[in-house]
Amino acid sequence: MNPIEPVGLPFLPLLFVFFIAAASASFLLSAWPRLVAIVGAGAAALLAAWIWSLNMSLPIWILPFGVNVDLEAPLALSGYFLQLRAANAPVLAAYLLLAALALLLGALHAHDALFPAQVWLLLTGYSALALLVNAPTTPIVIAPVLFVMLTALSIYVLHGGRQKEASAGLRLLTPPVLATPLFFAGGWWLEQIPLNPQDLALMQTAGTLIGLGILILLTPFPLHGAWSASSESSPPAAALLVALFYQLGVLYLAAQALNLYPFIFRQTDWSVWMSALGLLTAIWGGVAAIGATHAGRLWGYAAIHDWGLIILAMTAPGLQSWTLVLFLFALRIISMMTGAVGLIALERQVGSLEMQRLRAVGLRMPWSSAAVLLGGLGLVGFPLTAGFAGHWAALQSLALFDWRLAMAILLAAVGAILGFVRLARLMFGMQDAPLTMRESALNVGTALGALIVTLIVATSPQLLSALLERILTAFG
């Protein structure tokens, strides 16, 4: 007789059954997309808060009606093991929170009845990626294949039921497809290290291949173009969801790789690659924003500039680097969410986000227009926006190493600011023919709520300290 008896129901099968059930219910009830999105957002937010508050030192959770749930019970599927741990629980909670935000944004403009179901399917895939702890080979090597699969699903999310070509979404497949062979080759060299641990060439080769693979997955310049293109051609809620899901997954993968294999940083030119391409990404985002003629693309260029700064922040080793990276990413979420709230409202009322179509729209929709401007300016670190504290801290850190890097980032940010100044002049300029559109109470309320969150974070960024300390356990 086996003395070890199960102590409770395994949690992960229940979690994934809930995700699939939510996706199925959202599909079956797609005739009421707004209601489905609101209910789904509430469920995702509650589940995120519960997982965030879990005490993983007590793995058994007792339901009110006496049933035990084993939180740490692994889920085995054909040699792949998923497990909820203290290190990945904050990442899972972050994915749930991002899904809740995307569903709420989707409810503002129910453009695609399938969007809620797609959110739950993407959440299922990225949750499995975060919870993967063991596989026939190291999970680091398997991750790019999962990124290819999830990016392929993201193409349908970005299409959003619009009568447009899907070339922007297809371009997102390029980085994970290019990175997968590098990870496979790097994984083979990793397997040779235990056979001859004194051979430093094995570590250098494995570290170089995996480091290049991670760098490609980060989509720096010149692989960045799909993000700005999708920001123009896709619904803002879909563009925000796909970008933040993917980027959080890549950051978590990079942290796992550097923690498991520190020779990637120490014995390769990782920092040189990252600093050079991160700088080019930030500069290109700022310069390209000057000539943008579409508000969504301008928003995308600002996000590219911000992402380049995050890549630059990863070049410094140690805990301080990841603290700054996560701080910038948290502020990125707030700024992108604020901008998306305004873009959704303007697109719904005007029918297009072409800048010439937005002339004088700020006189009729001031709150939504302000959300677009403050959200976009937050991505380039403009004062009194959510991103200012993070960008200022990053510039100070860069200036300690090389003041020219900080100056180049600052000049690129000025370029993006000029793009938003031009957009503001169009939005609040006079129009010959009076506009008949009106800003609904729902749009006013959501824009005002996003602006309040932005201003609170801008004036009191220390409120994010507790959140960063908790999620840093997954990255440090």
Side-chain angles (χ1 to χ4, degrees):
M1 181 177 178
N2 187 358
I4 300 177
E5 298 291 340
V7 295
L9 296 174
F11 170 68
L12 286 187
L14 298 177
L15 178 68
F16 285 105
V17 166
F18 172 75
F19 286 166
I20 298 301
S24 302
S26 300
F27 177 77
L28 294 174
L29 300 175
S30 57
W32 300 278
R34 179 163 293 173
L35 177 62
V36 168
I38 293 175
V39 173
L46 288 175
L47 187 56
W50 178 72
I51 291 178
W52 185 268
S53 64
L54 285 177
N55 183 2
M56 297 305 296
S57 63
L58 302 173
I60 305 301
W61 189 63
I62 303 176
L63 293 174
F65 42 86
V67 177
N68 296 340
V69 176
D70 190 348
L71 299 175
E72 293 186 344
L75 174 62
L77 298 169
S78 302
Y80 296 86
F81 291 86
L82 309 179
Q83 188 177 22
L84 182 66
R85 296 176 175 177
N88 56 27
V91 179
L92 178 60
Y95 275 128
L96 283 162
L97 181 59
L98 290 175
L101 288 175
L103 288 168
L104 280 178
L105 292 175
L108 295 178
H109 185 190
H111 58 276
D112 185 5
L114 298 180
F115 181 68
Q118 293 168 344
V119 171
W120 286 107
L121 289 177
L122 272 182
L123 176 62
T124 303
Y126 278 102
S127 298
L129 179 63
L131 296 170
L132 182 64
V133 296
N134 202 358
T137 184
T138 174
I140 302 297
V141 176
I142 299 297
V145 180
L146 298 178
F147 274 113
V148 171
M149 299 167 61
L150 292 170
T151 305
L153 176 59
S154 299
I155 295 172
Y156 295 95
V157 181
L158 290 173
H159 189 262
R162 298 186 173 187
Q163 301 300 320
K164 294 183 178 181
E165 59 179 357
S167 59
L170 286 172
R171 290 163 62 186
L172 290 177
L173 277 172
T174 303
V177 168
L178 291 177
T180 298
L182 294 173
F183 275 89
F184 283 168
W188 185 86
W189 286 98
L190 286 175
E191 293 174 355
Q192 311 309 307
I193 293 176
L195 304 179
N196 190 5
Q198 303 302 321
D199 190 352
L200 295 180
L202 295 177
M203 293 185 182
Q204 291 175 347
T205 304
T208 299
L209 291 169
I210 294 178
L212 282 174
I214 294 174
L215 184 59
I216 291 174
L217 284 179
L218 287 167
T219 64
F221 178 90
L223 299 172
H224 66 284
W227 297 118
S228 55
S230 61
S231 298
E232 177 179 357
S233 61
S234 304
L240 177 139
L241 172 75
V242 170
L244 294 181
F245 264 24
Y246 177 90
Q247 290 162 358
L248 176 59
V250 174
L251 289 178
Y252 184 51
L253 175 65
Q256 287 180 302
L258 293 176
N259 289 332
L260 287 174
Y261 311 114
F263 53 80
I264 295 175
F265 189 94
R266 296 173 184 169
Q267 300 182 18
T268 67
D269 294 328
W270 164 275
S271 59
V272 177
W273 305 334
M274 296 289 285
S275 59
L277 293 180
L279 179 63
L280 286 174
T281 304
I283 291 176
W284 177 258
V287 171
I290 299 175
T293 59
H294 187 280
R297 184 175 279 270
L298 176 61
W299 178 61
Y301 283 138
I304 289 173
H305 171 83
D306 183 62
W307 184 242
L309 186 60
I310 291 176
I311 295 175
L312 260 176
M314 294 174 64
T315 59
L319 191 64
Q320 184 178 1
S321 172
W322 283 112
T323 303
L324 179 57
V325 167
L326 294 176
F327 185 43
L328 287 168
F329 192 77
L331 299 177
R332 175 183 181 82
I333 294 173
I334 296 171
S335 296
M336 290 192 71
M337 180 269 297
T338 304
V341 166
L343 290 172
I344 290 171
L346 294 181
E347 186 179 40
R348 182 178 184 185
Q349 293 294 333
V350 180
S352 173
L353 292 176
E354 293 289 341
M355 286 190 183
Q356 292 301 323
R357 296 282 301 275
L358 299 179
R359 186 179 296 274
V361 72
L363 303 178
R364 301 294 293 178
M365 302 181 66
W367 295 107
S368 298
S369 300
V372 171
L373 296 174
L374 282 185
L377 290 172
L379 291 170
V380 296
F382 193 77
L384 292 181
T385 63
F388 173 69
H391 279 246
W392 182 249
L395 289 175
Q396 288 181 312
S397 298
L398 290 174
L400 294 177
F401 295 98
D402 190 343
W403 66 269
R404 292 170 296 183
L405 287 176
M407 183 59 63
I409 294 293
L410 187 59
L411 291 176
V414 171
I417 291 170
L418 292 177
F420 282 100
V421 169
R422 185 162 56 88
L423 176 60
R425 292 182 61 185
L426 286 171
M427 282 182 166
F428 293 94
M430 298 302 296
Q431 177 78 324
D432 296 335
L435 299 177
T436 59
M437 65 188 66
R438 292 182 178 273
E439 195 166 23
S440 67
L442 177 63
N443 290 337
V444 172
T446 52
L448 187 58
L451 290 171
I452 289 174
V453 171
T454 296
L455 292 176
I456 289 175
V457 174
T459 54
S460 304
Q462 66 273 13
L463 295 175
L464 299 176
S465 298
L467 182 148
L468 293 177
E469 289 176 3
R470 174 69 186 281
I471 201 170
L472 196 59
T473 60
F475 288 80

